[in-house]
Amino acid sequence: APANLIAASSNNIETTPPPPPADPSSVVAAIRSCSSHESSVRRPAEEQLQQWENAYSGRTLHATGYLTSLISIVERSDSVDENTNCRLLAAILLKNGIPKAFGVPLSEEEASSTNEERSLRQERAHVRNRLPALLFQEENATCALHLQLALSNIALFDFPKEWPTLLEDLVSTAGATSGQSLVVRVRAIKTLRLCIQSIRHRKIIVPKGPAKRGANNNNNNPMLNMRNLGNLIGKAVHERKEVHARACSIFEALAEGIVNHAQTAIAGDGSGGGSCVVGSSEAHSAWQAECLLAVGYTKCMTELIPMIEIENTLADPRTPAVRRLMESLARICEATRSYPAVSVPPALANIPSVVQEYTMKMDKTHRAALVCCISSIRTLPQLFAPQVSRILPAVVDPILTSDTSVLQSMPVKRLIYMTGLVRAVLTCAMYDETRRNSLMAGKANAVLSMLMGGAGGRSGGDADGDGRSAKDDPGVVEARTTVTALLAEGTVERLVEALVGKFLRLHSEELQEWEDDPEGRYETDLAEKMPLTEADGISPRHCGGALLMTLMSRETDRVARSLLELTQRVYQQLPPEDVNGMLSREACYRALELCRAAMVGGGQRRLNFSEWFQGELHPILMRTDLGENSPVAMRAMQARAVQVVQAYCASLKPDEFGVAFQSIARLMATPDLVTAFCSARCVSQLALLHVKGTEESVQLVSVREHSVLALGNAFALANRSESEECLRVVLMCVSALVEVNGLYLEPVLQAIAEQLPSLWERARDSVPIHSCLLSVLNHLIMKMGYSTVENSHVQTVLFPLLDYCTDISVVNRAETLLEDGLRLWLVTLVSSRLTTMGPSLRNMLPRLEAILRSGLEPHLSLKVLQFNAILLGPQVVEPLALVLRDMLLNLTNCIHSEQAGGGDTAMDDDDRSKGTDRGVTTTRDAVAALSFADGLMQMFPDLGLSICSPAISKVMAVLPGKSIAAPLVDASFHSFGRMLWMSPNCLDEIFANDPNQDEKIASVVSTYISVVTSISVMVMLSAQAQKVVFIDQKGAALSLCLAVCRSPRVARVAGQSILEFTRRLLELEAKSKIDLNALVEATSGTTRKVVGDGPLGDSAARTAEILKSDPLLTVSLKDACGNAEKAMTSML
């Protein structure tokens, strides 16, 4: 798809020197070097090309002529292979460079433009002038595709302001019957579609004014931003409407092209207006081009229709033309609906093998028209309404009447669009008789209308709009009548039966696949459980299931009753061992699985699952005698029964749950691999379903009772698995069983560990398998503690796996496995004993240093470093002091940096804090940095203070008057409290040069006290949490009291509030009678949350030792308060 990018904001881009001139010879040399196998040659060339591309969007604009050089390279007509590749790469680079070069804002007036801006404006004009000619002259199809995308990228930024005739020019080229080749015309219509698509998905650009240093930054004030919200939205919507209206100027030409080219394509007329002899190769080629143009024009209209905004169908002059288009689309659908028996026109009768080609061309035309109809129903339902009575029966009739083999022979996309149109009609409120009165409310958003200055809710809903008129519009009334007839008694039942029997039922090719490639069959079945959308349907079953669920949501009770009656009828009327009967039952079970939410959800039980389980499903699950020679239909029904139980598992009664878990655990050993993999997936879900804290439910006991059997069968199934996806499913089952059992599996730990080395050998370079092994080991170690870490078989896998997953020198390793690898590393540290694991842990330190230096996953890498330091001492941290100091400054940059304004921002652009892009400071990483600083200063005060104080000081310096996220505030003050204890005069130093020093110190102290005294409801309900809060409050009081004693300024501006806070805390301490051991237990308990219920390693004891020696826990609060009072008295 065309790039939909805006120029990168220059807020965080440092000023860089200008790149060298991008003359054609230099660019060609760089492009050729990029194809080198030598990294020493390739990487500098890639960096140079990137520098030229980024020169347009930096803080300082540099118009290097890069795009002009790329245009000149593409213009070369050399046929040498090397030059062809160079031209192709130049076209790709041109496509990728246009968003940055065309997205940067320029001065509105020529007089105020800089030389660089004028040069860029000229370069843009040159690209616009040359690109269309290059596109239509290009002989290489791949190069032409990238030029098409480049042109659509320009449309994103320059239409209509800089290039108002772009769309008209492309339509004119596509419609030129003389002077243009058919190839050029087809290419023009395809380019037009990309341009319309790009324009339709354009983001709303919101200009931001430049922020001035020293000025109040109002960007963080939501109330000030809300004052401009009305103007902002109104202007943006108005601009978008203008763009859409300008784009719709080609509507008439597109509509005419659809009719003309579709008629010619259907009639088989390739004579070109008499210039070609009927039946000749020229006529054949001309007809093929007409078919391509018919499809291309229709696809363009599909993109354009959502931009046709008609608020008043009675008064809008475009209404008659749009209605004519809708009628033409319906006629095209009717004319091309026959499949596969099509009548070849006489004009094509003499062409060899024309029947298959004509069938294919008409199918593509039919599909394009269907998609255009779907778009019309969704955006212009009132105008399309008169065609519903024609097109809906034309689509539904083949579903009801066609033979199963005919439907199966249809292209999947055709079935997707057929069922998609029915779904669009059924979900359209305007065509729903039960919701006809809702049209009175209008379709406009009342809030949006008000912000734009209109009367809320009146647009489209008043007497002159299309809301009231739509209610009584003859076309809408006719459409509602058609839909009502479709949902009439008997028709819905026939449709449900057709969907189950023709779409959901396994056909002969799938049964053969079940025999020949069971793992492939399982993966296909798994893929069919993906979200059911028209965009990525993979089989008839996919779109049939989607339509069934749409029917279920529309007529829930009737469709549910129809499904249950159909299932009962199939079960009772067909012999149990009949192959057709078993396949029909499997299809019915699949339908009930898809519709589970309607059957047992929403507070209504339309299906008695307990009765169904005991009567039908359980007997099927108990059959362990099915082998490879058993009927595949029977095995398919058993696999479906397993998946039905998985879908309805929450409806199982406690006694039924145990029976179901045991039966399905046994089926993991069945010879039929599809059933075995379905069982493994079901066991995973059943195992974790009733894990709720420390509660021991009946279901959980049942799981643990049969887990050894399930694990044995799972490992055996893993050895039978060949595909990556199937092995992943089995390993996730193992992981779930380990997680739910924990220490209950300790007697079989050795047997589990012995299975891991062979799985590690099979993993090779598979990311999913490595992820699953990480999960298995994580749960093994979390649940069983150091006994797992010290197992020799586990170590055979554990440390090689950690080494593999954290090797960031391998391409893409950091993006795929590093985070999970660090989590396993952390769990290993917490569960290790130094006497046995010390050397292995020390051997991993160089890898940790490399990760820290790269700045990857700091929220985990800093935690891993912290636990290494707890176990191994300060020598782990000392060599990294400079790295850590810079790292903490970078990670907290989002708090203490002064962000520069300027540039444009997309309203629908995601906030940076929502992503985890490398190099971008996030809230999560900043919190991790501050938490690490607190822990480091607690473990090694002097070393920690030297590393952490620069970052903490910068953070505290900007906190007064700055609005930041609550987690950042809490983490900032926790680390600051520790620093204040070790450096009581730090507040004087932080604000030494600030003219408002007293006010800011008072603000920091007041905010600090407010933060530590704010208690949530959850804390009030937990005695353990209250102890942790008291620890934080005591630490704050001790640090602040010491600051009062050492800093006269702090005593003067905030001493009284500090004393009041400390006295209140003293009263609480006296009432609670909390001793040191209770505080240590409460604090060190946070480390136990990392591991779960297994025995911890040495880190727990060492953490307790650190806490017992922590002055912020051990120093007397009463003495600190007394010393602060003396300091205050001495000042009087």
Side-chain angles (χ1 to χ4, degrees):
N4 190 6
L5 306 173
I6 60 172
S9 172
S10 60
N11 293 355
N12 300 312
I13 300 177
E14 297 295 331
T15 303
T16 56
D23 56 89
S25 59
S26 301
V27 177
V28 168
I31 290 175
R32 289 175 176 169
S33 297
C34 285
S35 302
S36 173
H37 296 291
E38 298 292 333
S39 60
S40 59
V41 177
R42 185 181 66 254
R43 287 182 180 176
E46 291 173 345
E47 292 174 358
Q48 180 62 75
L49 291 171
Q50 191 66 52
Q51 184 184 18
W52 279 327
E53 182 179 311
N54 291 337
Y56 295 105
S57 57
R59 179 182 292 274
T60 302
L61 172 65
H62 299 292
T64 60
Y66 176 57
L67 295 188
T68 302
S69 296
L70 292 174
I71 287 285
S72 68
I73 295 170
V74 177
E75 283 179 325
R76 298 180 180 182
S77 58
D78 304 15
S79 59
V80 182
D81 288 345
E82 181 182 2
N83 290 333
T84 301
N85 292 334
C86 187
R87 292 177 61 251
L88 175 58
L89 287 173
I92 295 172
L93 292 170
L94 178 66
K95 173 198 69 178
N96 295 338
I98 282 174
K100 290 185 178 179
F102 281 72
V104 61
L106 301 179
S107 300
E108 294 289 338
E109 299 180 2
E110 181 71 21
S112 60
S113 299
T114 64
N115 291 333
E116 294 290 343
E117 287 181 328
R118 282 191 285 271
S119 297
L120 178 56
R121 189 176 280 111
Q122 293 172 1
E123 187 171 13
R124 288 178 180 177
H126 176 72
V127 174
R128 287 195 298 267
N129 291 334
R130 294 297 307 139
L131 190 54
L134 286 177
L135 170 63
F136 297 132
Q137 294 169 5
E138 181 59 50
E139 297 179 359
N140 185 291
T142 306
C143 188
L145 172 61
H146 290 287
L147 293 177
Q148 287 176 305
L149 293 171
L151 193 59
S152 70
N153 283 345
I154 294 178
L156 177 68
F157 299 101
D158 281 10
F159 179 85
K161 187 173 182 181
E162 300 294 334
W163 201 348
T165 62
L166 170 61
L167 302 186
E168 286 93 337
D169 293 343
L170 289 172
V171 170
S172 177
T173 302
T177 57
S178 60
Q180 295 290 359
S181 68
L182 291 174
V183 173
V184 169
R185 295 175 62 193
V186 171
R187 188 173 291 175
I189 201 66
K190 289 183 177 180
T191 307
L192 177 62
R193 180 196 176 194
L194 292 174
C195 290
I196 298 173
Q197 193 176 60
S198 185
I199 293 168
R200 184 162 74 89
H201 294 289
R202 176 184 293 174
K203 294 179 179 180
I204 296 177
I205 306 300
V206 182
K208 292 172 64 177
K212 297 180 180 179
R213 188 174 297 274
N216 291 330
N217 186 2
N218 294 331
N219 290 333
N220 293 322
N221 190 330
M223 291 307 298
L224 292 177
N225 287 337
M226 284 295 293
R227 292 173 187 172
N228 298 322
L229 185 60
N231 294 332
L232 184 68
I233 294 180
K235 181 181 178 181
V237 173
H238 179 70
E239 289 179 356
R240 174 163 287 184
K241 282 190 173 185
E242 286 186 343
V243 172
H244 287 184
R246 187 69 182 84
C248 289
S249 63
I250 62 171
F251 174 83
E252 292 283 358
L254 283 182
E256 183 180 355
I258 290 173
V259 174
N260 293 339
H261 292 297
Q263 287 177 347
T264 305
I266 295 169
D269 183 7
S271 63
S275 60
C276 300
V277 178
V278 174
S280 64
S281 60
E282 293 83 0
H284 184 201
S285 298
W287 170 74
Q288 290 175 327
E290 289 293 329
C291 293
L292 291 174
L293 288 170
V295 172
Y297 271 86
T298 309
K299 288 183 176 180
C300 287
M301 185 61 77
T302 301
E303 298 293 339
L304 190 67
I305 281 176
M307 293 194 279
I308 303 174
E309 301 174 7
I310 297 179
E311 297 182 357
N312 189 328
T313 58
L314 299 177
D316 198 304
R318 297 172 296 173
T319 297
V322 175
R323 288 190 186 275
R324 288 194 298 270
L325 169 69
M326 305 303 178
E327 184 177 1
S328 298
L329 290 172
R331 287 178 177 176
I332 293 171
C333 287
E334 288 180 329
T336 57
R337 61 180 289 192
S338 297
Y339 190 94
V342 295
S343 178
V344 178
L348 301 174
N350 297 330
I351 299 175
S353 306
V354 74
V355 175
Q356 182 177 358
E357 183 182 8
Y358 187 79
T359 301
M360 182 182 69
K361 298 292 186 185
M362 293 303 100
D363 172 63
K364 289 185 176 180
T365 306
H366 184 75
R367 288 180 352 223
L370 281 178
V371 176
C372 198
C373 290
I374 293 172
S375 179
S376 303
I377 293 169
R378 289 174 175 166
T379 57
L380 300 170
Q382 183 177 353
L383 297 181
F384 189 83
Q387 312 309 322
V388 171
S389 60
R390 299 175 60 180
I391 197 167
L392 186 61
V395 172
V396 173
D397 285 348
I399 298 175
L400 293 174
T401 61
S402 295
D403 187 74
T404 303
S405 59
V406 173
L407 287 174
Q408 293 294 340
S409 68
M410 287 183 179
V412 174
K413 285 187 177 180
R414 186 184 182 103
L415 294 175
I416 290 171
Y417 298 143
M418 287 170 59
T419 55
L421 186 136
V422 180
R423 291 170 59 200
V425 171
L426 290 176
T427 55
C428 179
M430 191 171 288
Y431 305 157
D432 188 348
E433 183 68 31
T434 61
R435 291 192 285 175
R436 62 196 302 261
N437 292 328
S438 65
L439 296 175
M440 293 292 292
K443 63 181 181 182
N445 185 310
V447 176
L448 181 60
S449 179
M450 180 184 65
L451 288 172
M452 293 174 61
R458 291 185 57 83
S459 177
D462 56 11
D464 296 326
D466 62 354
R468 294 180 185 271
S469 62
K471 180 182 177 183
D472 301 314
D473 186 293
V476 174
V477 173
E478 186 180 5
R480 285 201 294 262
T481 303
T482 304
V483 174
T484 302
L486 174 66
L487 300 175
E489 194 71 31
T491 309
V492 164
E493 289 72 16
R494 286 178 59 209
L495 188 55
V496 168
E497 188 170 350
L499 291 173
V500 174
K502 299 176 183 179
F503 285 79
L504 301 187
R505 178 171 160 151
L506 290 168
H507 52 82
S508 56
E509 289 82 0
E510 293 173 318
L511 296 176
Q512 190 61 46
E513 182 188 22
W514 198 297
E515 295 277 22
D516 299 338
D517 183 17
E519 294 190 39
R521 177 64 244 158
Y522 171 74
E523 291 177 12
T524 301
D525 189 77
L526 195 63
E528 289 172 351
K529 297 180 181 296
M530 294 167 62
L532 305 172
T533 64
E534 298 122 355
D536 52 5
I538 61 169
S539 71
R541 188 169 300 107
H542 217 200
C543 49
L547 179 53
L548 178 63
M549 289 197 292
T550 301
L551 283 170
M552 178 68 80
S553 64
R554 178 69 184 265
E555 296 287 335
T556 307
D557 291 329
R558 291 176 56 199
V559 175
R561 185 169 62 251
S562 298
L563 272 180
L564 293 175
E565 291 175 353
L566 178 62
T567 305
Q568 187 177 16
R569 188 166 66 250
V570 168
Y571 177 69
Q572 293 177 347
Q573 294 181 359
L574 296 176
E577 301 299 326
D578 180 71
V579 172
N580 286 328
M582 287 185 284
L583 292 177
S584 297
R585 285 176 67 186
E586 192 272 345
C588 290
Y589 292 173
R590 186 191 294 268
L592 290 169
E593 178 189 352
L594 284 173
C595 300
R596 178 201 60 82
M599 289 295 183
V600 297
Q604 294 189 42
R605 295 279 172 173
R606 298 179 176 89
L607 169 65
N608 187 334
F609 182 73
S610 179
E611 181 180 314
W612 184 28
F613 174 78
Q614 295 176 9
E616 290 189 47
L617 300 179
H618 184 233
I620 298 174
L621 297 177
M622 290 297 292
R623 294 199 61 175
T624 56
D625 58 333
L626 298 180
E628 295 180 352
N629 296 325
S630 301
V632 66
M634 183 64 221
R635 288 180 273 148
M637 188 168 64
Q638 188 176 60
R640 184 57 51 194
V642 171
Q643 294 178 80
V644 167
V645 171
Q646 179 181 342
Y648 287 86
C649 58
S651 300
L652 287 167
K653 295 179 179 178
D655 55 334
E656 295 168 347
F657 183 91
V659 172
F661 185 85
Q662 181 183 16
S663 302
I664 296 173
R666 286 176 177 169
L667 286 178
M668 281 196 288
T670 185
D672 185 80
L673 281 175
V674 179
T675 304
F677 292 129
C678 290
S679 300
R681 196 161 181 266
C682 181
V683 165
S684 300
Q685 182 165 330
L686 292 177
L688 299 175
L689 183 63
H690 293 283
V691 176
K692 299 176 181 177
T694 58
E695 180 183 345
E696 291 285 342
S697 63
V698 175
Q699 293 90 337
L700 200 56
V701 172
S702 299
V703 170
R704 289 173 175 166
E705 182 180 349
H706 303 292
S707 286
V708 174
L709 166 68
L711 277 170
N713 288 341
F715 281 119
L717 181 57
N719 294 329
R720 297 161 58 195
S721 306
E722 295 181 1
S723 77
E724 183 179 280
E725 176 61 24
C726 292
L727 181 57
R728 186 194 68 82
V729 168
V730 177
L731 290 179
M732 291 310 296
C733 175
V734 172
S735 177
L737 290 168
V738 171
E739 180 181 358
V740 77
N741 282 278
L743 289 174
Y744 290 93
L745 289 179
E746 192 167 19
V748 294
L749 173 61
Q750 183 67 20
I752 296 174
E754 290 173 357
Q755 302 293 326
L756 298 179
S758 62
L759 294 172
W760 162 249
E761 292 175 2
R762 293 180 59 187
R764 294 187 180 92
D765 291 327
S766 168
V767 172
I769 302 307
H770 281 109
S771 296
C772 293
L773 283 173
L774 288 168
S775 178
V776 171
L777 285 169
N778 247 317
H779 290 129
L780 272 175
I781 297 171
M782 286 174 64
K783 294 300 182 179
M784 297 189 214
Y786 58 74
S787 59
T788 304
V789 179
E790 296 172 0
N791 185 281
S792 59
H793 293 284
V794 172
Q795 289 188 21
T796 304
V797 177
L798 176 60
F799 288 100
L801 181 61
L802 282 175
D803 183 71
Y804 180 91
C805 295
T806 57
D807 186 1
I808 59 174
S809 64
V810 178
V811 178
N812 296 328
R813 187 64 50 79
E815 289 78 14
T816 54
L817 292 170
L818 178 60
E819 185 172 6
D820 290 339
L822 288 171
R823 293 186 191 280
L824 178 59
W825 194 347
L826 178 60
V827 171
T828 301
L829 284 167
V830 178
S831 301
S832 294
R833 297 187 295 184
L834 272 182
T835 54
T836 55
M837 302 304 299
S840 297
L841 297 179
R842 289 187 179 92
N843 290 337
M844 291 289 293
L845 290 178
R847 178 60 53 77
L848 179 59
E849 181 177 348
I851 295 171
L852 289 168
R853 289 184 182 276
S854 68
L856 297 172
E857 306 294 352
H859 64 295
L860 290 172
S861 59
L862 288 175
K863 184 65 72 174
V864 170
L865 177 62
Q866 181 177 343
F867 274 88
N868 268 299
I870 291 174
L871 289 172
L872 303 175
Q875 61 269 27
V876 175
V877 181
E878 288 167 349
L880 296 170
L882 294 177
V883 175
L884 291 172
R885 186 180 297 122
D886 293 340
M887 187 177 182
L888 295 180
L889 283 168
N890 290 332
L891 292 175
T892 55
N893 185 61
C894 62
I895 307 174
H896 58 69
S897 66
E898 291 291 339
Q899 298 292 337
D904 291 334
T905 303
M907 286 185 67
D908 51 352
D909 197 21
D910 290 334
D911 185 71
R912 288 184 177 182
S913 63
K914 296 178 183 177
T916 55
D917 294 338
R918 307 299 179 189
V920 178
T921 301
T922 63
T923 299
R924 180 197 63 185
D925 294 338
V927 170
L930 294 166
S931 299
F932 172 78
D934 186 16
L936 187 62
M937 289 187 292
Q938 183 184 42
M939 288 187 290
F940 317 120
D942 294 335
L943 176 63
L945 183 63
S946 66
I947 292 173
C948 306
S949 58
I952 300 173
S953 297
K954 279 199 166 189
V955 169
M956 300 311 298
V958 301
L959 276 186
K962 183 164 185 175
S963 175
I964 62 175
L968 285 175
V969 175
D970 293 342
S972 298
F973 278 110
H974 283 147
S975 58
F976 167 70
R978 180 74 55 181
M979 186 178 79
L980 184 63
W981 172 259
M982 291 183 287
S983 178
N985 293 315
C986 66
L987 279 172
D988 299 82
E989 297 168 0
I990 291 171
F991 299 105
N993 299 319
D994 195 306
N996 300 317
Q997 185 180 26
D998 288 0
E999 292 83 353
K1000 291 194 174 181
I1001 290 177
S1003 173
V1004 168
V1005 172
S1006 173
T1007 305
Y1008 190 10
I1009 294 174
S1010 175
V1011 167
V1012 296
T1013 53
S1014 298
I1015 301 177
S1016 66
V1017 176
M1018 297 300 295
V1019 171
M1020 296 175 64
L1021 298 176
S1022 170
Q1024 187 81 353
Q1026 290 177 26
K1027 293 178 183 178
V1028 174
V1029 169
F1030 176 79
I1031 294 170
D1032 294 338
Q1033 293 175 345
K1034 181 179 179 181
L1038 291 173
S1039 298
L1040 290 171
C1041 285
L1042 185 58
V1044 169
C1045 296
R1046 299 289 182 86
S1047 170
R1049 187 181 297 275
V1050 173
R1052 175 167 50 82
V1053 302
Q1056 197 60 42
S1057 61
I1058 292 172
L1059 284 177
E1060 291 176 0
F1061 164 60
T1062 307
R1063 288 165 184 157
R1064 293 197 303 270
L1065 200 59
L1066 273 172
E1067 296 176 1
L1068 177 63
E1069 185 181 40
K1071 293 178 181 178
S1072 304
K1073 298 180 180 180
I1074 303 175
D1075 59 10
L1076 177 61
N1077 291 330
L1079 296 179
V1080 170
E1081 181 180 355
T1083 306
S1084 62
T1086 58
T1087 63
R1088 292 190 175 91
K1089 294 176 184 177
V1090 177
V1091 182
D1093 58 2
L1096 295 172
D1098 291 345
S1099 62
R1102 289 179 179 265
T1103 300
E1105 293 172 5
I1106 293 171
L1107 292 172
K1108 288 180 180 179
S1109 61
D1110 184 0
L1112 291 182
L1113 278 179
T1114 57
V1115 170
S1116 169
L1117 188 60
K1118 183 177 181 180
D1119 294 344
C1121 184
N1123 293 333
E1125 289 174 342
K1126 292 178 183 178
M1128 291 290 293
T1129 303
S1130 65
M1131 293 179 58
L1132 299 177

